[in-house]
Amino acid sequence: MSDLFADQSLPWQPLAARMRPRILDEYVGQAHLLGPGEPLGEAIRQGQLHSMVLWGPPGVGKTTLAKLVAEYTKAHFQTLSAVLAGVKDIREAVQQAKMRQQPTILFVDEVHRFNKAQQDAFLPYVEDGTIVFVGATTENPAFELNNALLSRARVYTLKPLEDAQLEQLLMQALTDRERGIGKKQLSICPEAQALLLMAANGDARRLLNVLEVVADLAEDNSTITAEQIKPVIADLPKRFDKGGDVFYDQISALHKAVRGSSPDAALYWYARMLDGGCDPLYIARRVVRMASEDIGNADPRALSVCLSAWDVQERLGSPEGELAVAQAITYCACAPKSNAAYVAYKKACAAVKELPDYEVPIHLRNAPTKLQKSLGHGAEYRYAHDEPNAYAAGEQYFPPEMVGTQFYQPVDRGLEQKIKQKLMQLAEWDQLSEQQRYSD
């Protein structure tokens, strides 16, 4: 065994550090990457090196996997933390790598925290093989890492551990007398185990950290109970990172639940986000967006309800404001749906970008001065309120090159049913006006 794992039995180390796997056979989880026949697992076993990015939530084995790669390939393992390091540290690490007679794995934890310039500093040395780059990140590499760096590394996605895998780690820690807490001869009751696995939430490090706290307080030769677990996990933060992937995944789930008319699921994701520490005002703003994007004119009251909820949240704060936002969420989820206004707006924006800047028709132009009036600005404009039914049938409001364009197409739901009927009526009047014009 190399020096990478030589000090894992030191008693003052955290349990999670002591229990770190030393060989691939001890590694729990990620069978989709390391199982028989899987490319990454086979490459490691055969001692083949390549640069990679390990993407996954906390506590799933990213650092351990990087160390195992170094162990199996006989490479020197050097670490940098993107939280603390800069370009100077990167250059020093590269210079040290150039002096070695063995390949160097430069492991960069939290690599998404490096800016573009810092990430660019790796490129020539990854390109020429001076270092084998292994980055670990909890954020989507496609969003957080430079394309140039991604093109030189393979991205592997690590998944949260399943309960059966967490249970395996738990039993190992309870029985291992050398690195675990086996000397205390503790057992755990089923209820306590269920609580512990739920609190771990797929995170092996969290599982072992909680177990260590409980074990330190437990008497030797005793059984860990649910009552011992509960106070330790009571204030554990949920897996939620403001501005990170989990954050956007959850707000996406909330939005899709509202769009899908599922008030119960929408409330669940809302509560999850609040429990994880999300600012309720952010959610209130997003709910306003939902009212316009997914409900629109099918129920225009939804926008007023959401704006009122946002106002209550700003004025009263928690918990009254959060209840108002919950009310708005359920209203939107149950309201008739239409994205017609949203789609129409997107089409109009696309038309503006794609078409020339047509002149405003003369009859629609403003005429505040005598000069503009003498030029005929607004002269042939038909004032709708002076027309039958307050509608100037046949009047054109588009530039001549765009006559007949239609962006807004109401759906057959909610108020838009009546809007659709109204637009059909207006179209009939336009057609009659056009027929009369030709007959005259």
Side-chain angles (χ1 to χ4, degrees):
M1 186 187 306
S2 71
D3 292 340
L4 281 176
F5 303 99
D7 60 353
Q8 282 189 203
S9 60
L10 299 177
W12 56 83
Q13 286 190 312
L15 178 61
R18 301 200 306 270
M19 293 299 299
R20 191 184 297 277
R22 297 164 295 185
I23 58 175
L24 275 177
D25 289 343
E26 293 179 353
Y27 193 92
V28 176
Q30 316 311 328
H32 65 293
L33 298 178
L34 304 175
E38 297 297 338
L40 178 58
E42 293 302 315
I44 295 173
R45 292 181 180 91
Q46 295 173 16
Q48 298 175 356
L49 274 172
H50 61 267
S51 292
M52 66 186 77
V53 175
L54 304 176
W55 171 31
V60 297
K62 297 186 293 293
T63 302
T64 298
L65 184 53
K67 287 188 173 185
L68 288 171
V69 171
E71 177 75 10
Y72 277 72
T73 57
K74 303 297 188 290
H76 178 80
F77 188 80
Q78 187 166 354
T79 63
L80 283 180
S81 171
V83 177
L84 303 174
V87 173
K88 179 182 177 182
D89 302 288
I90 296 172
R91 289 173 178 164
E92 288 180 359
V94 169
Q95 290 304 316
Q96 293 171 14
K98 288 180 177 180
M99 299 172 63
R100 296 191 185 98
Q101 300 301 313
Q102 65 180 130
T104 296
I105 288 179
L106 184 57
F107 176 69
V108 184
D109 199 15
E110 303 285 336
V111 66
H112 59 274
R113 296 182 183 270
F114 271 152
N115 59 34
K116 183 181 185 300
Q118 291 168 322
Q119 292 181 32
D120 285 346
F122 293 109
L123 298 179
Y125 310 110
V126 175
E127 188 77 28
D128 66 15
T130 300
I131 59 171
V132 177
F133 173 82
V134 179
T137 178
T138 57
E139 305 301 328
N140 191 333
F143 298 146
E144 302 295 338
L145 301 187
N146 294 348
N147 288 333
L149 185 57
L150 287 176
S151 70
R152 292 163 171 81
R154 303 178 200 175
V155 177
Y156 296 105
T157 303
L158 281 72
K159 301 176 181 178
L161 299 188
E162 299 174 358
D163 281 355
Q165 296 164 341
L166 291 172
E167 183 179 353
Q168 181 181 343
L169 290 174
L170 174 62
M171 293 301 118
Q172 289 176 357
L174 285 172
T175 56
D176 191 317
R177 298 178 65 87
E178 178 189 355
R179 296 183 298 153
I181 55 175
K183 291 180 180 179
K184 297 199 70 169
Q185 296 184 321
L186 298 175
S187 59
I188 185 168
C189 75
E191 184 183 357
Q193 178 174 312
L195 278 175
L196 185 53
L197 297 183
M198 181 182 68
N201 196 24
D203 183 334
R205 185 184 300 110
R206 175 178 287 192
L207 173 91
L208 295 173
N209 287 345
V210 172
L211 177 63
E212 184 173 26
V213 172
V214 174
D216 287 343
L217 300 175
E219 296 182 1
D220 292 357
N221 302 297
S222 64
T223 298
I224 297 173
T225 66
E227 297 306 314
Q228 291 171 297
I229 296 285
K230 287 177 182 178
V232 179
I233 66 174
D235 297 322
L236 282 179
K238 299 293 189 296
R239 185 153 59 87
F240 184 88
D241 181 13
K242 299 175 185 178
D245 283 342
V246 175
F247 173 86
Y248 290 111
D249 285 345
Q250 291 186 4
I251 192 63
S252 174
L254 169 57
H255 194 152
K256 289 178 172 67
V258 169
R259 180 184 296 144
S261 299
S262 176
D264 300 310
L267 285 175
Y268 169 75
W269 292 115
Y270 173 54
R272 278 281 302 274
M273 295 190 75
L274 292 180
D275 188 59
C278 181
D279 183 358
L281 284 172
Y282 170 81
I283 302 176
R285 291 193 295 270
R286 285 298 297 259
V287 174
V288 171
R289 161 76 182 236
M290 297 173 201
S292 286
E293 179 178 338
D294 294 297
I295 298 166
N297 292 327
D299 186 351
R301 294 170 298 182
L303 187 57
S304 297
V305 170
C306 294
L307 285 170
S308 295
W310 185 358
D311 190 40
V312 171
Q313 179 64 54
E314 282 194 318
R315 289 171 179 265
L316 301 184
S318 178
E320 293 85 358
E322 293 165 9
L323 177 58
V325 175
Q327 178 185 345
I329 288 172
T330 55
Y331 188 95
C332 289
C334 298
K337 302 298 189 295
S338 171
N339 69 344
Y342 172 72
V343 170
Y345 170 66
K346 299 291 281 186
K347 288 181 179 178
C349 291
V352 168
K353 289 183 179 296
E354 295 168 4
L355 299 176
D357 294 334
Y358 297 125
E359 296 290 333
V360 176
I362 292 292
H363 70 287
L364 298 180
R365 295 184 187 181
N366 191 27
T369 67
K370 290 182 179 180
L371 174 61
Q372 288 167 313
K373 289 179 181 178
S374 69
L375 294 173
H377 289 195
E380 297 182 9
Y381 169 65
R382 294 164 60 192
Y383 188 58
H385 293 287
D386 292 339
E387 300 281 341
N389 301 306
Y391 181 67
E395 182 78 312
Q396 292 296 335
Y397 300 96
F398 268 120
E401 300 85 350
M402 295 183 65
V403 169
T405 300
Q406 185 178 8
F407 298 133
Y408 181 51
Q409 296 179 317
V411 301
D412 292 317
R413 292 182 293 276
L415 182 63
E416 281 200 334
Q417 295 180 78
K418 293 185 177 181
I419 295 175
K420 187 174 185 178
Q421 293 171 5
K422 173 67 179 295
L423 290 178
M424 292 174 64
Q425 177 66 70
L426 298 180
E428 288 180 11
W429 290 342
D430 285 337
Q431 190 174 10
L432 287 173
S433 174
E434 189 73 8
Q435 292 172 354
Q436 290 175 2
R437 188 168 68 88
Y438 279 112
S439 63
D440 293 343

